Amino acid sequence: MKKWIALALIIGLMGFGITYRIFEKRSREARETAAQTVIPVEVAKGEERKVEDMISLSGTVKSMVDVTVLPKVSGKVEKLLISEGEKVSKGQVIAEIEVEELKVQLSQAEAGLELAKAALNQSLSMAKQMAESQLMQAEAMVEAAKARLELARKGARPEERDIVREQVRQAQANMENARRNLERIRELYNAGAVSKQQLELAELQYTVAQAQYNSAQNQLSITEKGAKPEDIRALEAQLSQAEASLSLARRSWEERTWENDIASARSRVKQAEASVKLLQMQIENAKIKAPISGTVTRKMVEEGQLVSPSTPIAVISNLDELKVAVPVVEKDLPKIKEGRDVWIEFSSFPEKRFSGRILRIAPTLNPVDHTAMVEVGIENRQGLLKPGMFAKVKIPVGIPRISVTIPKDALLKRGGKDLVFVVKSGIARMREVEVGSSGDDWVEVISGVKPGEDVVVLGQEGLRDGDRVKPTSWREGI
């Protein structure tokens, strides 16, 4: 039994030795094969270029100015003279509102203005004369009352009776003239052409003329029949009344009360002129004009639609200048300032870079994300850009410098480190690098790669440090 166990151990040891020699031989052959294998890769050289630190932000394009056009008067849209996308100039008529009713009102107002001007002209030519005439009539009434009283007291001679009869005829004629003048003034007053004061003056003149006529008739009766005591008292009362009227007329003359009539007439003219001007403005405002030059981006009404001063007609936008609002985090705000030039890129124009400028930095931060909105302006004279486009804004910060850069595709991330493979004499060597700023397809290398060194851009995923490689130019391989 022991003999067989020993034999089995000897056979096992011999098998293990043979297996080990076979494995070692194959491993040596594999290493020799690997050492002789050349891996094809594509390489690019580290290049020096001008590098600026950039803050890259995204936003949406908006028009610099949007103006909503509102009508100044209410009514029906008679004409709509614009369409969306059409360019308009400042002051161009873009819509018209019906004005037939306003035109009728304007005709009425113009007629009222003519009447007011006529009343003013009449006041200017007649007011002073009427006051002067009233004073003269009052003085004449006093003199006549004195004469009648004197005549009644002394008794009348035949020739004095003839004088009294003539006074009666004259008083009757004056009363008739005063009546016709009152009727004319009343018509003008009803038409709004004269003041109430002028009407009252005409009524007073007619009343005075009536009183003079009645007084003359009474005087004639007394002259022909002889005065009685009660007639004398009546004549004395008439004289007192005439003297009171004269005192009133003198005070009116001295205080120049007719000038109040002229002032009132002038005021009515100004009111009528204001009414005419207001209606003319409303008719002119019925032509809705573009407040700015720009493009009609929205049409909001149709012909025949009723509108009011709160109804939007259209939106006109200035698309020659656009803006992008981007949020800048609190730590980056000290690095930027208004007026700084920036770059703007659009996916619609991948080969084109647009220039812009920082117009405004918000004075306060959003309390939620601690960002401030920064407004960037872009010129769009060629009309390439449209509101609503997605924009990538790049704001330069710091001082420009010359640095080594490599393609972004050359970078590898392993164990939280940035690595590249540098090829020299056909051997790939792994290096740790420190990176800085970056562009669309390149990254700045602060340390780890020198200018002109070849870095593997394609084929590095399976490489190990020391592998033999066959490099070809990256640009040739594209």
Side-chain angles (χ1 to χ4, degrees), residues 7-160:
L7 181 61
L9 288 172
I10 293 170
I11 294 171
L13 289 171
M14 291 177 64
F16 175 77
I18 293 169
T19 302
Y20 176 76
R21 287 185 177 183
I22 292 172
F23 176 76
E24 184 180 13
K25 181 179 179 182
R26 288 181 178 176
S27 297
R28 184 172 61 252
E29 290 175 349
R31 287 195 297 271
E32 290 174 354
T33 301
Q36 293 173 357
T37 301
V38 178
I39 302 171
V41 294
E42 294 181 8
V43 298
K45 293 185 180 298
E47 297 180 345
E48 288 186 325
R49 71 170 72 198
K50 183 179 180 180
V51 175
E52 289 183 275
D53 292 331
M54 294 275 186
I55 301 173
S56 186
L57 304 162
S58 299
T60 303
V61 176
K62 297 181 181 180
S63 54
M64 186 68 72
V65 178
D66 293 310
V67 177
T68 300
V69 183
L70 299 172
K72 295 182 179 180
V73 296
S74 300
K76 184 188 294 184
V77 178
E78 185 175 31
K79 294 179 182 178
L80 192 61
L81 307 173
I82 53 170
S83 57
E84 288 188 359
E86 180 180 349
K87 288 190 174 183
V88 296
S89 301
K90 182 177 180 180
Q92 178 181 331
V93 177
I94 63 174
E96 294 183 5
I97 296 176
E98 284 186 348
V99 292
E100 292 303 317
E101 185 176 346
L102 290 175
K103 287 181 177 179
V104 172
Q105 295 177 9
L106 177 59
S107 296
Q108 294 174 341
E110 289 174 339
L113 175 59
E114 292 303 316
L115 286 174
K117 287 180 177 179
L120 175 60
N121 291 333
Q122 185 176 26
S123 293
L124 290 172
S125 62
M126 294 181 59
K128 184 176 180 179
Q129 295 178 3
M130 291 177 67
E132 186 177 13
S133 174
Q134 184 181 5
L135 176 60
M136 294 175 63
Q137 288 180 358
E139 290 174 342
M141 286 179 63
V142 170
E143 294 300 323
K146 288 180 178 180
R148 288 193 295 272
L149 178 58
E150 183 66 23
L151 185 62
R153 286 174 176 167
K154 293 181 178 179
R157 297 187 295 272
E159 59 273 18
E160 291 175 337

Side-chain angles (χ1 to χ4, degrees), residues 179-217:
R179 183 187 64 78
R180 286 195 294 268
N181 182 62
L182 175 59
E183 291 176 353
R184 183 176 62 83
I185 295 297
R186 185 174 285 127
E187 290 177 359
L188 290 173
Y189 175 76
N190 292 334
V194 297
S195 65
K196 186 175 181 181
Q197 188 174 2
Q198 289 175 292
L199 175 63
E200 291 174 347
L201 180 59
E203 289 174 342
L204 176 61
Q205 289 174 337
Y206 178 62
T207 301
V208 170
Q210 281 184 315
Q212 289 177 337
Y213 173 69
N214 293 333
S215 176
Q217 281 190 320

Side-chain angles (χ1 to χ4, degrees), residues 181-425:
N181 182 62
L182 175 59
E183 291 176 353
R184 183 176 62 83
I185 295 297
R186 185 174 285 127
E187 290 177 359
L188 290 173
Y189 175 76
N190 292 334
V194 297
S195 65
K196 186 175 181 181
Q197 188 174 2
Q198 289 175 292
L199 175 63
E200 291 174 347
L201 180 59
E203 289 174 342
L204 176 61
Q205 289 174 337
Y206 178 62
T207 301
V208 170
Q210 281 184 315
Q212 289 177 337
Y213 173 69
N214 293 333
S215 176
Q217 281 190 320
N218 291 335
Q219 182 63 33
L220 178 60
S221 175
I222 293 171
T223 302
E224 292 179 341
K225 296 178 180 179
K228 300 177 181 177
E230 57 269 23
D231 294 332
I232 299 296
R233 289 193 296 272
L235 290 173
E236 289 174 345
Q238 289 178 7
L239 176 58
S240 298
Q241 184 178 2
E243 289 174 340
S245 297
L246 175 58
S247 176
L248 180 62
R250 282 177 175 165
R251 186 167 65 252
S252 176
W253 176 260
E254 291 170 356
E255 294 177 357
R256 306 174 68 87
T257 57
W258 70 84
E259 292 180 351
N260 294 334
D261 294 337
I262 295 174
S264 297
R266 284 201 175 101
S267 177
R268 284 190 294 274
V269 170
K270 288 182 179 179
Q271 290 176 351
E273 287 174 341
S275 297
V276 170
K277 187 175 181 179
L278 177 61
L279 288 166
Q280 288 174 338
M281 288 176 58
Q282 289 179 326
I283 291 174
E284 180 62 23
N285 288 337
K287 295 179 180 179
I288 303 171
K289 299 177 180 179
I292 63 169
S293 296
T295 302
V296 179
T297 51
R298 289 185 66 190
K299 184 182 72 171
M300 307 172 76
V301 297
E302 298 294 338
E303 289 185 356
Q305 183 175 334
L306 289 173
V307 297
S308 68
S310 62
T311 307
I313 299 295
V315 176
I316 299 176
S317 303
N318 178 9
L319 301 184
D320 289 340
E321 295 182 7
L322 303 176
K323 63 183 178 181
V324 180
V326 293
V328 177
V329 296
E330 183 177 354
K331 69 181 181 61
D332 288 334
L333 284 174
K335 303 175 185 178
I336 64 175
K337 62 181 180 179
E338 293 180 0
R340 172 166 291 179
D341 292 333
V342 302
W343 297 108
I344 304 122
E345 298 173 352
F346 299 89
S347 58
S348 307
F349 304 95
E351 303 299 325
K352 188 175 178 62
R353 205 181 212 188
F354 294 81
S355 62
R357 180 169 293 180
I358 296 176
L359 301 178
R360 189 178 70 88
I361 301 172
T364 59
L365 275 68
N366 185 324
V368 177
D369 58 9
H370 295 278
T371 61
M373 296 306 295
V374 175
E375 192 173 279
V376 174
I378 321 166
E379 285 194 1
N380 187 38
R381 303 290 181 185
Q382 296 178 344
L384 298 176
L385 306 177
K386 309 292 182 185
M389 282 184 169
F390 181 77
K392 184 181 289 184
V393 178
K394 294 187 176 180
I395 306 175
V397 294
I399 300 174
R401 59 190 179 277
I402 302 299
S403 292
V404 178
T405 62
I406 61 173
K408 281 184 175 179
D409 291 341
L411 279 179
L412 291 172
K413 282 282 189 181
R414 291 182 183 176
K417 298 179 179 180
D418 292 312
L419 305 172
V420 297
F421 279 96
V422 178
V423 177
K424 190 173 182 180
S425 300

Side-chain angles (χ1 to χ4, degrees), residues 163-177:
I163 293 174
V164 174
R165 292 189 187 99
E166 181 61 29
Q167 289 177 346
V168 171
R169 287 192 296 271
Q170 186 63 43
Q172 186 176 11
N174 291 340
M175 182 181 67
E176 186 62 26
N177 288 336

